[in-house]
Amino acid sequence: MGMFDDSLDKAVANRTTKPAPKSAPAQMRYLVKQLKGTRPVAELLGISQRTVERYVRNQIKRPRPELAARLTQEVGRRWQPRVRERARRQAATSTGIVIETRARFGFTAAPGSTDDARIRLITHHLPPAYAARLFDAQTQGATDRELSAIAAEGLQEEYFKDRGRRAAGLSVEFTDIDYVEFDL
């Protein structure tokens, strides 16, 4: 998973209506219920079935740090799927998505204009069409580079070109990304 993929997942996860289980035994019980057994959970997490059973019975309460991270990630990925899908669908059809990023933007533009790349902090709302493209690409397993290209095109059209009202020949280059965050 990359920076864009993680940020999109985080934005959708922020729309959940109830907090996910926090303790390791509660997380393990949730996964056992979702995957319908201790064996699939053990295979998913790379631990023994007996270890999963011990977590479910509260005999083990504190996992190793790497197991805790995997456990939290797997629970978060499966937590409230219908709420997450509804948030994605709403962003893709009506509300759009907000992107906040600090990155180097360079330009290819008409002669006589500045095309020096510089670091910019930009927070801008992208319309539903770009949110739909981002989510579709993410579900199809797009790389961070492909997601970055969609976000760059959205910022180019919406922020720099102001929806076609200025800078007609401008082409934006989105590089040296410090961070990117999305919000629905």
Side-chain angles (χ1 to χ4, degrees):
M1 297 182 90
M3 184 185 316
F4 281 83
D5 197 32
D6 291 342
S7 185
L8 285 169
D9 284 342
K10 186 177 169 186
V12 172
N14 286 340
R15 293 298 185 175
T16 58
T17 56
K18 291 177 12 182
K22 298 285 185 229
S23 72
Q27 289 175 331
M28 203 65 79
R29 283 190 292 273
Y30 175 76
L31 285 177
V32 167
K33 186 177 179 182
Q34 290 295 308
L35 299 177
K36 298 177 177 51
T38 55
R39 181 170 292 160
V41 174
E43 291 170 0
L44 175 72
L45 298 174
I47 57 177
S48 73
Q49 185 175 354
R50 182 74 179 120
T51 303
V52 173
E53 292 167 359
R54 286 182 182 137
Y55 276 107
V56 169
R57 289 191 209 122
N58 275 341
Q59 292 173 342
I60 304 175
K61 296 184 180 181
R62 296 188 187 270
R64 299 180 318 269
E66 62 273 2
L67 177 59
R70 278 187 306 205
L71 193 56
T72 302
Q73 179 184 11
E74 293 300 330
V75 168
R77 185 182 305 163
R78 289 168 175 78
W79 187 250
Q80 292 191 325
R82 288 183 291 193
V83 172
R84 291 165 159 264
E85 185 55 39
R86 188 176 339 125
R88 285 172 162 247
R89 191 172 43 251
Q90 183 179 9
T93 58
S94 61
T95 59
I97 193 166
V98 175
I99 182 173
E100 179 177 324
T101 185
R102 185 171 51 220
R104 183 172 304 279
F105 288 91
F107 309 101
T108 304
S113 64
T114 179
D115 60 353
D116 293 337
R118 66 178 191 254
I119 301 270
R120 292 177 184 246
L121 174 63
I122 296 176
T123 303
H124 197 73
H125 177 266
L126 297 178
Y130 289 104
R133 287 181 56 197
L134 282 166
F135 288 131
D136 288 344
Q138 183 188 26
T139 54
Q140 293 172 0
T143 64
D144 239 24
R145 175 167 279 184
E146 294 165 335
L147 293 172
S148 162
I150 294 169
E153 182 183 333
L155 286 173
Q156 172 183 304
E157 296 301 320
E158 297 295 319
Y159 181 80
F160 291 104
K161 287 186 174 182
D162 196 17
R163 296 186 189 140
R165 290 191 278 257
R166 61 183 171 157
L170 185 72
S171 176
V172 175
E173 205 175 293
F174 191 25
T175 58
D176 296 340
I177 302 166
D178 188 19
Y179 79 94
V180 64
E181 289 184 14
F182 292 99
D183 192 23
L184 305 179

